[in-house]
Amino acid sequence: ALIRQYGINEPASAAPRADDKAPACSPVLDFSNYRVLLVEEHDAIADRYSRFLKNFGHEVARVFNGDEAWKLFLENQHRFHIIITNVFTSGMDGLGVLAKIKRDYPRVLVFIYAQEHDPDTFQLAVQLGADGVITQAEFETSIIDLIESAVYRAEQKGSLTQAASTVSQVRQAQAELIKFGCSAPCNSIDIAYSSLTDAGGDLACCRRFNLAGRCGIILGDVAGHNVMSSYISAISLGMLTSNWDRNQNPMDLLKLINAELNKSDYDKYHLCATALLWDRRRQKIKIGTA
């Protein structure tokens, strides 16, 4: 409807026809192979989400709180492949379920949802290894895509267990990549900085180039809050620490990052980035945004 409204060949006032309908979501996976454990106290919400998931082929079992979820899962460890839980439940909450599952059963996919977006809670869920974090308003538009993406990533690595191992390796690598290149704080540029695991894949990093008086900075907002978004951040920071040593040009850096991501066909992810080069001696600044 928006494309028609603002399309070049159509008048700006063009309105959607009454018989226009959005295409139905058609997942590629056979969801009958992925059994879901749904944790939700509210009956109406649980019934709605259960029907929604069953319409896509999932077998769904519903429990009221985290304690029941943990007990049922232990009794049927090989039955459930996916756990979808409200972050706020009586007894053990959704984050508690997430932590226990990811610690002992990393092959199981865990998705967290909440009534409203709370940055601190959502970031904590990401750090604990959640495969997806959404609000209730996004559930019926996003959960199927999140499940498909998580299953696809796991299968790309050969198995869910290997995927969990990859998570650990990526996060260990981040510890080496998410640090400032400058030995001392820059007296002309100040960056609000948090580590990748706290920022869910977003990045901010500064690098000083030898003694030439030039400082390079990259800021990035990566789509998604999962392992792949962190991996994309790591690629970007790797570019900063290598290519800029040879060619200190912001736009060239962004083109190299873009080319590298396209090689790996990350068509479900994107990176909004700004690269900046500050030449203190010449009092000049170069900025590239993509």
Side-chain angles (χ1 to χ4, degrees), residues 22-259:
C25 179
S26 54
V28 176
L29 294 174
D30 180 1
F31 281 161
S32 63
N33 296 324
Y34 299 91
R35 298 182 181 89
V36 174
L37 178 59
L38 176 65
V39 188
E40 172 58 58
E41 290 183 321
H42 195 282
D43 287 335
I45 294 175
D47 290 344
R48 178 175 176 174
Y49 289 171
S50 293
R51 288 195 304 269
F52 177 81
L53 293 166
K54 288 177 181 177
N55 285 339
F56 285 94
H58 286 293
E59 178 184 322
V60 181
R62 179 259 181 131
V63 293
F64 286 87
N65 56 51
D67 292 331
E68 292 182 12
W70 181 243
K71 180 181 178 181
L72 183 61
F73 180 84
L74 291 180
E75 293 172 352
N76 303 270
Q77 293 180 18
H78 301 292
R79 179 184 176 191
F80 297 108
H81 308 92
I82 299 170
I83 295 177
I84 303 176
T85 175
N86 193 324
V87 70
F88 300 112
T89 70
S90 59
M92 187 193 308
D93 64 9
L95 294 179
V97 174
L98 169 64
K100 281 179 171 289
I101 292 293
K102 288 300 183 182
R103 181 188 62 200
D104 299 327
Y105 306 94
R107 62 179 178 80
V108 178
L109 302 177
V110 182
F111 301 89
I112 299 290
Y113 65 89
Q115 184 173 0
E116 297 179 352
H117 177 81
D118 178 69
D120 292 336
T121 301
F122 279 26
Q123 293 291 355
L124 179 56
V126 171
Q127 292 178 48
L128 292 173
D131 295 282
V133 186
I134 55 176
T135 62
Q136 288 181 200
E138 300 170 308
F139 191 98
E140 290 168 303
T141 58
S142 301
I143 191 66
I144 297 301
D145 286 340
L146 286 175
I147 292 173
E148 281 194 316
S149 179
V151 172
Y152 173 78
R153 290 195 306 271
E155 290 180 347
Q156 286 293 99
K157 300 302 179 182
S159 70
L160 292 174
T161 302
Q162 289 176 337
S165 175
T166 301
V167 172
S168 175
Q169 293 178 31
V170 168
R171 288 176 177 162
Q172 289 177 19
Q174 286 173 355
E176 297 299 318
L177 288 168
I178 56 176
K179 55 189 178 184
F180 289 99
C182 304
S183 57
C186 186
N187 59 7
S188 57
I189 298 174
D190 185 21
I191 300 178
Y193 176 81
S194 60
S195 67
L196 290 184
T197 51
D198 291 336
D202 300 342
L203 62 108
C205 194
C206 176
R207 182 171 180 80
R208 180 171 294 167
F209 297 100
N210 52 56
L211 300 177
R214 288 190 291 272
C215 248
I217 295 175
I218 184 167
L219 307 172
D221 179 7
V222 184
H225 290 264
N226 50 34
V227 178
M228 188 56 70
S229 62
S230 297
Y231 179 62
I232 289 174
S233 294
I235 291 176
S236 304
L237 291 176
M239 294 284 186
L240 175 65
T241 58
S242 58
N243 287 284
W244 263 18
D245 283 341
R246 301 191 301 271
N247 183 5
Q248 295 167 28
N249 186 294
M251 283 306 299
D252 287 349
L253 176 73
L254 295 180
K255 288 177 181 178
L256 285 168
I257 293 174
N258 188 59

